[in-house]
Amino acid sequence: MMKSAIVLAAGKGTRMKSIHNKVMHPVANKPMIGHIISALKKCDIENIMVIVGHGAESVKEYLQDEVQYALQSEQLGTGHALMQARAFEHFDGDTIILCGDGPLIQPETIQKAFEANQDHALTVLTAQLKDGENYGRIVRNKEGYVEKIVEAKDCNEEEKKIKEINTGIFCFKNKLLFEGLNEITNKNAQQEYYLTDLVEIFRKKQYSVNAMVVEDPQETMGVNDRVDLAKAQQWMKRFINHKHMMQGVSIIDPENTYIDADVEIGKDTIIYPNVHIQGKTKIGEHVLILPNSFLCNAHIEDGVTIDSSKIVDSYVGAHTVVGPMSHLRNHAHVEENVRIGNFVEFKNANFGKGSKCAHLTYIGDSDIGERVNVGCGVVTVNYDGKKKHRTIVGNDAFIGSNCNLVAPVTIGENALLAAGSTITDNVDNGDMGIARARQVNKEGYGTKWKKK
Ligand code: UD1
Ligand code: MG
């Protein structure tokens, strides 16, 4: 059976009180619409269409050619949004309809919806809440069949008490969907074309209407304001952390650990509280991430220790130790068995196997070889006020403490730089560079000065 999906994302999202389109608001650092498309992509769906309108450009720029688009230039309701999807009209098979403001939906539920609709014209996904809030109410007849959906604003007193609600997710026999759309009107409290009216229309035509109650009502919550957004964040955080824990990652305090949806983490990794792991970060096995670390698009190999450090767009090789308080950024590439210690910054720099840089150092635009020792307080002087230049250091070199390496400069293998030198000229393999004034000792001057 051919599977298609239509996601409604044209609405303004007035209740968000934002200049941004509602579906572009992030949950776990990823726009809501992104979560929905990721879930759909895991379900072997042939055709995915997103209905755009308000802020269409931002949605298209984000999703690019991952999906097809239809424009709803005036937002006259969810039914009207669907009418813009006529390009799908001729498709056979089933089509799932999702709202762009329901970011927590999981692929398993989408699959179940298709399965549930096999022998029906329409399956509406419903949820049981303690209070129906502003959701559309599911009205069932005496036999228990779904009769219609009534929007909260159109409910009478009896209907308001109904606790079974419309999640906004429907699975339709595609051809019947487009046939039914011709019959929707806007005669209701909001003067909108409601997609939800299709239930009653189908019932009148005696098409088979099914309902599937979702297990966790939070998974299908709609985000309409900032309070909902915070609730969705909480749910997503718990969901992601639970998934990693089930796969063998120890999270000491899951309530205070923030991991984005697309992060990968190997087993026996331990994550301490107040750690943020974002973007497409990939972490190996047996990694130790101590409190207050921040990783974004980082690639961390097995056995690494990260202590209160920030690593962005950078690579860290196996068994390397980073921190406390270090910052790797802009394509820092640090090989295995390295030690990067307290208050060290690496930017766009390569650091070879077994090298050490333990304290108070800036390494920028550099290629540092293997087994190099970088002393405390070393600075690569990479910027002359106009351009950036590279510093190159060969294997087994020893950079004494408090050296400045004024780039462009090359230090050979096994070279030695004397502490406190400002190095402006290249140093050949095996040579020593020393660039500082010679010391003068003045006999007895210390005592004389104290007596003054
Ligand atoms: C909708 C449902 C409601 C359900 C709830 C679940 C209708 C009429 N109501 O209400 O029964 O309980 O979702 O969360 O369907 N949109 C458009 N074009 C429009 C209007 C909306 O594309 O003209 C999109 C919005 O961008 C949004 C989605 O449709 O992603 C839902 O719209 P929203 O205004 O949030 O509807 P709800 O009031 O939440
Ligand atoms: Mg909504």
Side-chain angles (χ1 to χ4, degrees):
M1 180 202 60
M2 175 143 108
K3 288 190 276 184
S4 305
I6 301 171
V7 185
L8 310 183
K12 186 161 183 230
T14 314
R15 289 164 280 180
M16 291 299 279
K17 307 225 161 58
S18 172
I19 54 164
H20 304 294
N21 181 318
K22 173 162 72 172
V23 303
M24 287 301 289
H25 281 268
V27 169
N29 278 307
K30 179 166 168 173
M32 292 200 266
I33 187 84
H35 287 287
I36 296 167
I37 302 303
S38 298
L40 287 170
K41 292 267 169 182
K42 289 180 187 148
C43 297
D44 304 316
I45 292 173
E46 279 99 333
N47 318 292
I48 303 177
M49 180 179 281
V50 176
I51 311 295
V52 291
H54 200 83
E57 287 318 309
S58 61
V59 177
K60 284 171 144 179
E61 195 186 314
Y62 172 64
L63 292 175
Q64 299 276 326
D65 52 9
E66 291 268 301
V67 299
Q68 302 176 51
Y69 300 95
L71 182 69
Q72 184 196 23
S73 37
E74 250 189 312
Q75 285 81 54
L76 304 179
T78 50
H80 180 257
L82 264 187
M83 291 172 198
Q84 317 310 311
R86 292 268 176 216
F88 276 17
E89 196 168 23
H90 58 280
F91 289 160
D92 285 322
D94 285 14
T95 298
I96 192 160
I97 312 296
L98 298 153
C99 291
D101 65 352
L104 308 180
I105 188 72
Q106 295 304 309
E108 296 73 24
T109 308
I110 293 171
Q111 294 286 24
K112 275 187 200 160
F114 279 111
E115 284 157 28
N117 199 49
Q118 246 169 19
D119 302 321
H120 302 281
L122 157 61
T123 298
V124 48
L125 273 62
T126 75
Q128 290 287 352
L129 301 184
K130 287 199 187 78
D131 165 11
E133 299 168 32
N134 292 322
Y135 290 99
R137 304 298 201 270
I138 303 291
V139 179
R140 291 182 184 254
N141 64 15
K142 282 192 214 92
E143 290 82 42
Y145 292 110
V146 177
E147 270 305 299
K148 58 179 177 179
I149 298 174
V150 184
E151 286 308 294
K153 284 186 180 147
D154 299 300
C155 278
N156 61 33
E157 284 312 310
E158 277 312 298
E159 288 163 345
K160 268 219 175 90
K161 289 180 197 152
I162 298 173
K163 293 181 170 57
E164 185 180 17
I165 60 95
N166 168 30
T167 63
I169 304 169
F170 300 84
C171 196
F172 282 95
K173 287 278 169 291
N174 188 67
K175 289 200 167 144
L176 301 182
L177 161 66
F178 285 96
E179 182 198 296
L181 279 177
N182 297 328
E183 297 180 32
I184 294 184
T185 68
N186 63 350
K187 296 195 181 67
N188 51 55
Q190 304 189 83
Q191 296 195 318
E192 285 187 359
Y193 294 88
Y194 290 163
L195 142 70
T196 45
D197 285 355
L198 285 172
V199 172
E200 207 179 351
I201 291 168
F202 273 40
R203 287 291 293 170
K204 283 195 179 137
K205 287 173 177 274
Q206 300 196 325
Y207 292 162
S208 157
V209 175
N210 181 29
M212 173 181 137
V213 186
V214 297
E215 272 167 44
D216 177 1
Q218 290 190 64
E219 185 193 329
T220 52
M221 75 172 284
V223 174
N224 295 309
D225 56 31
R226 307 273 179 162
V227 176
D228 293 337
L229 187 65
K231 282 184 195 154
Q233 300 269 20
Q234 285 289 1
W235 189 94
M236 184 67 87
K237 177 184 72 184
R238 288 177 186 152
F239 179 85
I240 292 170
N241 289 347
H242 183 264
K243 176 189 79 179
H244 288 298
M245 290 187 281
M246 294 312 284
Q247 288 169 357
V249 178
S250 285
I251 300 180
I252 308 267
D253 181 3
E255 281 302 294
N256 293 296
T257 303
Y258 305 85
I259 303 174
D260 285 2
D262 299 327
V263 169
E264 293 172 42
I265 309 176
K267 61 177 187 288
D268 288 320
T269 284
I270 303 173
I271 303 174
Y272 275 69
N274 198 24
V275 165
H276 297 247
I277 309 178
Q278 302 188 344
K280 303 237 179 282
T281 294
K282 196 171 171 214
I283 297 171
E285 299 182 358
H286 300 281
V287 172
L288 179 63
I289 307 180
L290 293 168
N292 306 320
S293 293
F294 178 100
L295 280 65
C296 183
N297 299 327
H299 183 166
I300 312 293
E301 297 284 10
D302 296 345
V304 167
T305 296
I306 299 164
D307 188 354
S308 309
S309 290
K310 182 165 187 170
I311 304 179
V312 180
D313 299 324
S314 292
Y315 171 88
V316 179
H319 306 291
T320 283
V321 176
V322 179
M325 318 294 175
S326 286
H327 186 188
L328 310 188
R329 63 184 176 98
N330 195 353
H331 308 291
H333 187 100
V334 174
E335 294 279 355
E336 63 200 63
N337 291 312
V338 158
R339 166 97 182 91
I340 293 175
N342 310 255
F343 300 99
V344 171
E345 180 180 355
F346 266 70
K347 186 217 96 178
N348 187 19
N350 299 308
F351 203 58
K353 278 181 205 164
S355 288
K356 291 193 178 71
C357 183
H359 334 265
L360 302 163
T361 287
Y362 172 60
I363 303 286
D365 303 306
S366 302
D367 302 300
I368 313 281
E370 299 178 1
R371 298 171 303 280
V372 171
N373 188 81
V374 178
C376 176
V378 169
V379 174
T380 54
V381 184
N382 61 327
Y383 186 47
D384 62 10
K386 292 193 179 92
K387 275 190 186 154
K388 302 280 170 73
H389 302 280
R390 283 198 94 75
T391 298
I392 295 164
V393 177
N395 295 339
D396 301 293
F398 185 97
I399 316 292
S401 290
N402 218 22
C403 279
N404 297 309
L405 284 80
V406 183
V409 70
T410 299
I411 311 301
E413 293 190 1
N414 282 304
L416 166 67
L417 299 186
S421 294
T422 291
I423 301 291
T424 54
D425 296 330
N426 294 347
V427 178
D428 285 342
N429 291 349
D431 288 357
M432 178 171 91
I434 178 163
R436 63 187 186 213
R438 220 171 241 291
Q439 183 170 328
V440 177
N441 289 354
K442 298 200 172 175
E443 213 184 312
Y445 189 84
T447 326
K448 210 166 114 189
W449 175 78
K450 270 205 172 159
K451 280 184 189 155
K452 258 195 204 167

